[in-house]
Amino acid sequence: MIALSLVLTGCTAGTAGMGSGTNDPAGTSGSAGGSAPYLAYSPCCSWGTTWSNNPYNVNGLSNILNNFVLMPLAIPKYPSLTEYVPQLAESWQARNGSITLKIRQAAKWEDGTPVTSKDVYDTAILDATRGDAFWNDITKIDTPDQHTVVFTLKKGQPVALAQSDLFGMITYPSSVYGKFVTDQLESDVVSYWTAYQKDPDKASKMPEFKRMGKTFKKVASYEVDKVIGNGPFKLKNITTKEAKMPKSATFWAADKIKIGGLDYTNGDTTVIYPQMFSGQTDMSNVYMPPPILKRWKNTENAQLALPLAFGFAMGFNNHKYPLNIKEVRQALAYVIPREQISNAAYGTEAGAGGTWKEVNTGISPSLEKLYLPQDKINKLNKYPVDPAKATQLLKSKGFTKKGDTWITPKGKPFKLTFLVNSATSDIVTSFNSAAKALTAFGIKADVNATSGAQQDADQHKGDFDIGMYFVGGNNPLGMYAAMLGPGNNFSSAGNYADTRGLGFGPTMNVPGLGEVDVPKTIDKQTRSVAPGPEMNKQVWNWAQLVNDEVPYIWYSTKVYQFPYSTKNFTNWPPVDKNNTSPLWDIIGANLSGGLSLALQQGYITPKAK
């Protein structure tokens, strides 16, 4: 349910390739593309040196295919949890404990055959073998006719949450994958998930689960020669540097799309920056540090959209002494200068990439406006930089200061290490600034910048002091679950099952809830509490907990930079005084989905020569 975008400043973002305005000399545009120019599109971190045309394979090309070649049922209107833009599903109706979808009758696969309810059904059955979340919302699927799919919800499942899980499902062609959907698999899926909804641990021991696992391995290893899509573009060819994606003539809104296709490039920032400045790249999401941003603003035809995207949080190892003491975490909140460390990474110029967060509510500013009235936010502690308050808190727990160094009650110097992915240069900069502030206060702090894999493993295992986290999505309870739920806190499944992670709790006294198991409770609420008064109530409960206990500090909110150029294309989605708009907000939350919507709505047209 939680859609999370990661912007790693050192990751791949684009490379030299065919510039904007190419008329596809390889002859890949086809009749739909004609002579219309391709949009040179260079998003970050798209694919590696090996890939598979099979979306169930670990090397599947989901970043490239989803929303461009293969369509979801609908796209959420971020940050709403209840409003969607129809895509493959033309309409839907929820009643009597079910959701009935009408598949768009004009939807076709690129080979000209219609997209049918069987395609959706077979995809859903196969998705069940890899554990897709929507199977925890439903009990069965029916296809009464060629264009109708009925999902029966489990008893008591809120419609809004089921839609959130279901509508993002990407549909694959039964002509390719339907061979794996046997009567046995259909029976196993329903039996397993019915049991899972009652007792996940017991369900994992069922023979149905084992047979599903064997099927998934077969599906994931299946070699697919060609991607057959149902979206606005086709995947014609791909190399390590670029994917050529001509416009598809069979797409239901092909007449609205004015570009000939996408020249989807892949590489690193050292190449994409020169491409941007020379006009070879028409659009990217690459992070621009202050010097690059300044140069971009002085580049001819340069434009910039700035929707808020996701949060940067520093999480404390709540199980490790002395970070297991609430007053110590509060003291750190009074010492770490959130505005200063955010400015250190992003500068102070408008659109610099990040904006500091004044109140640690645990959720984004965008969602605060929807779920937390200002009068309630005003009741929370802002933790302004206040060394005297931090000193008072530490002394109240037996800490003493010897010269310039704080000494713990155990007689040891108070030392801390920030753990960070070395590829995220902006977070490294922020953490270095925070470490400097703590050291100046008397808590010697340093930064361990290591590989992303090592950083992730250490944080999940609880081998850290202060770690880095990304928090995103459009469900406020999901944001709390991202930090306090079993994904990062007392994991119960997956690669890090039975690891401590953040180590907060697990049992805590939560305002309004009493003594509860934190990871299990917030995980359950994310899957069961629908938008409305009850969600508002629970958001306030968790906001109070995070603000008082300080298990983590949301120190900065990513301002998602979308540089684009009007050199070759005009009629880009308009922006408001904050350099964003509802459509750009969708792009910020779902890059490929939002861009696909913009093109479907007739935006981004070739500039007259």
Side-chain angles (χ1 to χ4, degrees), residues 330-332 334-335 386-395 406 441:
Q330 291 176 330
L332 295 177
Y334 279 116
V335 176
D386 191 338
K389 187 66 175 178
T391 296
Q392 179 185 355
L393 285 164
L394 291 177
K395 286 186 174 180
W406 280 99
F441 177 69

Side-chain angles (χ1 to χ4, degrees), residues 20-23 37 279 282 566-569 606-609:
S20 163
T22 60
N23 290 329
D282 298 307
T566 57
K567 177 182 178 182
N568 301 297
F569 293 89
K607 203 168 186 178
K609 298 296 183 180

Side-chain angles (χ1 to χ4, degrees), residues 297-506:
K297 289 184 174 181
N298 291 322
T299 299
E300 187 177 6
N301 301 305
Q303 302 292 325
L304 191 67
L306 298 168
L308 292 177
F310 54 89
F312 291 137
M314 57 178 69
F316 300 118
N317 187 338
N318 291 257
H319 192 84
K320 184 177 182 180
Y321 181 84
L323 295 172
N324 61 332
I325 303 170
K326 178 177 78 170
E327 288 79 5
V328 170
R329 300 192 299 269
Q330 291 176 330
L332 295 177
Y334 279 116
V335 176
I336 296 171
R338 300 186 303 283
E339 182 176 18
Q340 177 182 309
I341 68 175
S342 184
N343 289 346
Y346 307 112
T348 58
E349 190 171 348
T355 178
W356 77 288
K357 197 168 192 306
E358 186 175 15
V359 185
N360 190 34
T361 63
I363 62 174
S364 71
S366 298
L367 296 190
E368 285 173 358
K369 296 175 183 177
L370 297 177
Y371 300 100
L372 286 176
Q374 189 61 47
D375 63 325
K376 288 191 173 181
I377 294 178
N378 292 342
K379 296 177 182 179
L380 301 177
N381 192 340
K382 292 184 177 180
Y383 293 98
V385 176
D386 191 338
K389 187 66 175 178
T391 296
Q392 179 185 355
L393 285 164
L394 291 177
K395 286 186 174 180
S396 74
K397 305 308 293 184
F399 286 74
T400 56
K401 202 165 188 182
K402 185 176 181 180
D404 294 329
T405 303
W406 280 99
I407 307 297
T408 73
K410 293 184 178 182
K412 302 285 187 179
F414 189 1
K415 298 180 179 180
L416 292 171
T417 295
F418 289 82
L419 180 65
V420 61
N421 179 345
S422 59
T424 58
S425 59
D426 50 346
I427 302 178
V428 173
T429 299
S430 293
F431 279 13
N432 277 326
S433 180
K436 184 176 180 180
L438 287 175
T439 300
F441 177 69
I443 300 172
K444 183 170 177 52
D446 58 16
V447 175
N448 176 19
T450 185
S451 70
Q454 188 64 53
Q455 165 258 325
D456 182 68
D458 287 349
Q459 287 182 189
H460 275 97
K461 293 175 182 177
D463 296 334
F464 72 103
D465 295 334
I466 305 175
M468 58 169 279
Y469 298 84
F470 301 99
V471 190
N474 61 340
N475 185 325
L477 296 177
M479 285 190 171
Y480 291 118
M483 294 298 296
L484 305 180
N488 282 311
N489 189 37
F490 294 101
S491 299
S492 57
N495 293 334
Y496 296 107
D498 301 319
T499 59
R500 193 163 43 236
L502 205 65
F504 183 67

Side-chain angles (χ1 to χ4, degrees), residues 175-245:
S175 61
V176 178
Y177 302 98
K179 68 184 74 175
F180 296 103
V181 181
T182 63
D183 292 343
Q184 180 69 65
L185 179 62
E186 293 175 271
S187 175
D188 287 346
V189 164
V190 173
S191 297
Y192 166 74
W193 282 99
T194 298
Y196 177 90
Q197 291 166 9
K198 298 176 182 177
D199 188 334
D201 293 332
K202 185 180 292 185
S204 66
K205 298 178 176 63
M206 295 171 61
E208 289 90 338
F209 178 70
K210 294 178 181 178
R211 287 195 294 267
M212 286 167 54
K214 290 180 179 178
T215 298
F216 177 73
K217 288 182 180 179
K218 291 179 182 178
V219 176
S221 61
Y222 180 55
E223 290 190 16
V224 179
D225 295 330
K226 173 181 170 55
V227 175
I228 300 176
N230 53 26
F233 303 99
K234 301 181 290 186
L235 180 61
K236 188 67 176 181
N237 52 55
I238 181 172
T239 69
T240 55
K241 291 185 177 181
E242 66 180 350
K244 295 297 293 185
M245 301 169 66

Side-chain angles (χ1 to χ4, degrees), residues 14-19 42 241-242 263 265-268 271-272 275 280:
T15 109
M18 298 180 70
S42 301
K241 291 185 177 181
E242 66 180 350
D263 183 17
T265 59
N266 181 50
D268 63 28
V271 177
I272 196 171
Q275 280 188 299
Q280 289 180 282

Side-chain angles (χ1 to χ4, degrees), residues 278-300:
S278 66
Q280 289 180 282
T281 287
D282 298 307
M283 180 183 177
S284 180
N285 68 342
V286 65
Y287 167 63
M288 295 186 293
I292 298 294
L293 175 63
K294 184 176 181 179
R295 184 178 171 188
W296 178 247
K297 289 184 174 181
N298 291 322
T299 299
E300 187 177 6

